Structures are given as structure tokens and as C-alpha cells.
Amino acid sequence: MIIDDIQAAATILAEGGVVAFPTETVYGLGADALNPDAVAKVFAIKGRPSHNPLIVHVASIEMAKAVASEWPDAAEKLAQTFWPGPLTIVVPKQGRVPSVVTGGGDTVALRMPAHEIARKLIKTFGGPIVGPSANASGTVSPTAASHVTQSLGESVPVLDGGPCERGIESTVVRVAQDSVNILRLGVIGRDEIARVVPVVETHATNDEDPLPSPGMLTRHYAPRTLTRIVDAKDIAITLAQHPNSALLTITPTNLPGAIAMPADASSYAKRLYAALREADAMGADLIIVERPTAIGPIWDAVRDRLRRASAEH
Ligand code: AMP
Ligand code: MG
């Protein structure tokens, strides 16, 4: 159910209810982060595994510090540089953060969203709120209010803030002493972060396989339809083998039903999840996604999401 009154949404949160809200990344499913019963509703509605921790959304650095037990210089520098924005910072948590929020762990993931409506909602409510993507766990994240209703049903109230500007989930970093590890790729890239604080390499062999953080399931952000990433030169043969395919291409094509994707990274990321939903709705046997080959941090994050969307069931 679409709603437009931030005060009414804040009242629902204060009463222990859930409200979906827009951010610049994807739509979040909000609940009072300090109320374990409210947070439990979020897990239940999403069907989210209990070990997968939630990101806590704040409207100020002060609000972040009020739930962190340590706020190292590295966290302060990152927050000053990238907040409000699509960077999530993992720090040790205070006791008042319920363990249901953090998957039982003693750290908490914090982010100040750039979307005006998100920050107004948090300020009006007056405290931090959890905000995992407002969709059934494992499925394609919502980047429009209508996607939330499609995935979770009419009973979940949704504040409509239009289409999400960034379109993919935040970059997640864990603060370790004076440096950080990157746990999840997003539109804020490694080099941008490394200009502010040292980035320590993880055990991973490359950026495509960051250190696993709880809940970083391989198959995620996935359409119902089998999805395959295919090199541009192999699309014709794949289509010949699977004529009933939906297609997302960057290279211009005359193929009927092909969904044209932007060639620019930022626009591609913004469009990706809506395009996967459209492809999923075509009733195809296969979704073929042309493999993006351009370099850059946003393309790396896009490839990460495509890999998860196309991972085996
Ligand atoms: P989302 O599914 O977009 O809400 O993102 C939440 C993701 O952030 C989780 O799946 C984890 O990968 C990561 N995350 C959240 N909290 C923590 C934490 N305390 N430590 C490490 N990673 C976390
Ligand atoms: Mg999600």
C-alpha cells in the first residue's frame, strides 16, 4: 500500500510496525532498530535467514555513535567523506543494539542514506532504523515503490520516493584499527575509499570475491528465471539454442524483445534491477545478459550483482 505521509510512517515505526522507504540504493524495509520484536517482523516478512545481519540507517553521525561502542578515526573520516551516501560502515556495537539486528555478532553495520525521504523518516521517528531491501530474501531488490508491493504484497506500507538514483546496494566496509576491509562492492569504489583510509586486502584473491561477511550468499538478487551472463560474441548462438530467451544487451541490436541497457556504468546500475524484473515477467526460459566488459568500480559492482543473479540455485 503506497503512503505519502512521513509522520504517519514514523508513527508506525514507533508502534513497532514496519514501513518500506526509498533510499538512493534500493527501497528498504524499515523498523525500529532498537526494538527486537519490530526487527523480528522484518526477518519474517522477508523470509531472511536469521544469521544475515541488517544495516542500521541513521540520520547523523551522532546517531551512529550512539549505537557504536567504538568509533575509530577511520569510521569518522569515511562518514565525513561519504555520508550521506551509499557506504555502509561496520563497527563494534553497543549493548543496546539487539543481537537479532546483527545476526548474533558484536558488530553493527551503519549507513546514512542520501535520500531526503529516508533521512526525514529517521529524524521524525527520532532513532536508528533497520532497512534491508524491501523484497523477499534472495530475489531482485526493489528500485521503485511498485516493486515492493509486487514482492511483499499490499499489506506493507511503502513511502513512494520515485525510482532509486543509484540502483544497487551500498558498498560495505569493516573498520579494523586504522584501516578497512571491503566486504561488499557498491558504487563507491575501492580507490575512492583508499584516498581516505588505507584499504587492507582480505584473504580473497581478487575484488570479485571479497571476504565473506555473514549473509553474503552466493545466489542473491536473483530473478526466478534462469539467468546467464554471455559474452557479446556468443549471444547469437545462445539465442539459437534457447529461442525463448529474454535479453539484456548493451550492444545495440534489432532482436525483438531485447531490453537495451545503458553503456554508462551509473545508468546501467540504476536500470539493472528494473530490467531484470521486466525480463523475468516475459515468461522466457532463460534471461541472457550481455557481459559488461568496461572497467571501473561501478562496473565491478554490477558484475558482482550479475554473478549472484546468475548463480546456480
Ligand atoms: P542488505 O541485504 O543490503 O541489507 O545488506 C546487509 C549486508 O551487509 C549483509 O548481508 C552483510 O553482508 C553486511 N553486513 C551487515 N551487518 C554486518 C556486520 N555486522 N558485519 C559484517 N557484514 C555485515
Ligand atoms: Mg537484500
Side-chain angles (χ1 to χ4, degrees):
M1 160 210 349
I2 307 286
I3 59 172
D4 58 9
D5 181 354
I6 293 180
Q7 181 60 58
T11 302
I12 296 173
L13 295 175
E15 290 169 350
V18 300
V19 175
F21 63 98
T23 81
E24 74 279 24
T25 60
V26 304
Y27 274 71
L29 189 58
D32 179 353
L34 303 181
N35 176 342
D37 295 333
V39 174
K41 289 179 192 168
V42 169
F43 279 90
I45 291 170
K46 283 182 58 67
R48 182 166 171 119
S50 62
H51 58 79
N52 190 354
L54 305 181
I55 294 172
V56 172
H57 293 68
V58 297
S60 65
I61 293 182
E62 287 320 301
M63 204 183 271
K65 286 179 174 171
V67 290
S69 66
E70 288 168 43
W71 188 252
D73 273 354
E76 179 69 17
K77 282 184 190 152
L78 289 171
Q80 291 286 354
T81 308
F82 295 109
W83 283 5
L87 181 74
T88 296
I89 305 174
V90 175
V91 291
K93 80 172 184 83
Q94 281 190 21
R96 68 202 196 95
V97 179
S99 65
V100 59
V101 171
T102 62
D106 49 16
T107 56
V108 62
L110 296 165
R111 177 168 108 80
M112 191 198 306
H115 202 295
E116 198 72 30
I117 293 178
R119 286 209 311 285
K120 273 196 187 141
L121 174 64
I122 299 164
K123 278 187 202 149
T124 308
F125 168 61
I129 65 178
V130 296
S133 55
N135 60 311
S137 185
T139 66
V140 178
S141 299
T143 52
S146 61
H147 299 165
V148 177
T149 308
Q150 279 165 26
S151 187
L152 298 180
E154 279 292 336
S155 62
V156 174
V158 188
L159 278 170
D160 190 351
C164 301
E165 270 309 305
R166 296 309 209 147
I168 57 174
E169 300 77 5
S170 59
T171 307
V172 180
V173 299
R174 175 166 47 209
V175 174
Q177 312 287 357
D178 300 328
S179 60
V180 299
N181 307 137
I182 295 177
L183 301 181
R184 179 173 74 186
L185 301 177
V187 298
I188 296 179
R190 186 190 182 288
D191 293 353
E192 258 182 290
I193 293 168
R195 265 178 240 132
V196 180
V197 296
V199 175
V200 172
E201 294 311 326
T202 61
H203 306 297
T205 49
N206 57 44
D207 270 1
E208 306 215 321
D209 188 20
L211 184 72
S213 87
M216 273 296 236
L217 310 171
T218 310
R219 182 176 165 80
H220 212 87
Y221 319 115
R224 288 186 310 271
T225 312
L226 183 67
T227 301
R228 211 185 276 173
I229 310 169
V230 176
D231 292 338
K233 66 173 175 41
D234 297 329
I235 286 181
I237 181 127
T238 310
L239 264 178
Q241 288 159 352
H242 304 273
N244 185 29
S245 291
L247 190 56
L248 268 60
T249 54
I250 301 171
T251 308
T253 165
N254 295 326
L255 293 165
I259 297 174
M261 294 299 290
D264 140 78
S266 201
S267 310
Y268 189 107
K270 179 176 178 179
R271 176 85 177 99
L272 176 60
Y273 288 148
L276 285 175
R277 278 170 191 276
E278 288 163 27
D280 213 5
M282 286 177 180
D285 303 325
L286 180 68
I287 300 173
I288 299 171
V289 181
E290 177 184 341
R291 185 187 308 283
T293 54
I295 53 171
I298 302 182
W299 285 119
D300 290 340
V302 161
R303 279 186 281 270
D304 168 81
R305 301 308 189 272
L306 287 176
R307 201 165 35 247
R308 294 176 201 281
S310 61
E312 298 290 320
H313 286 261

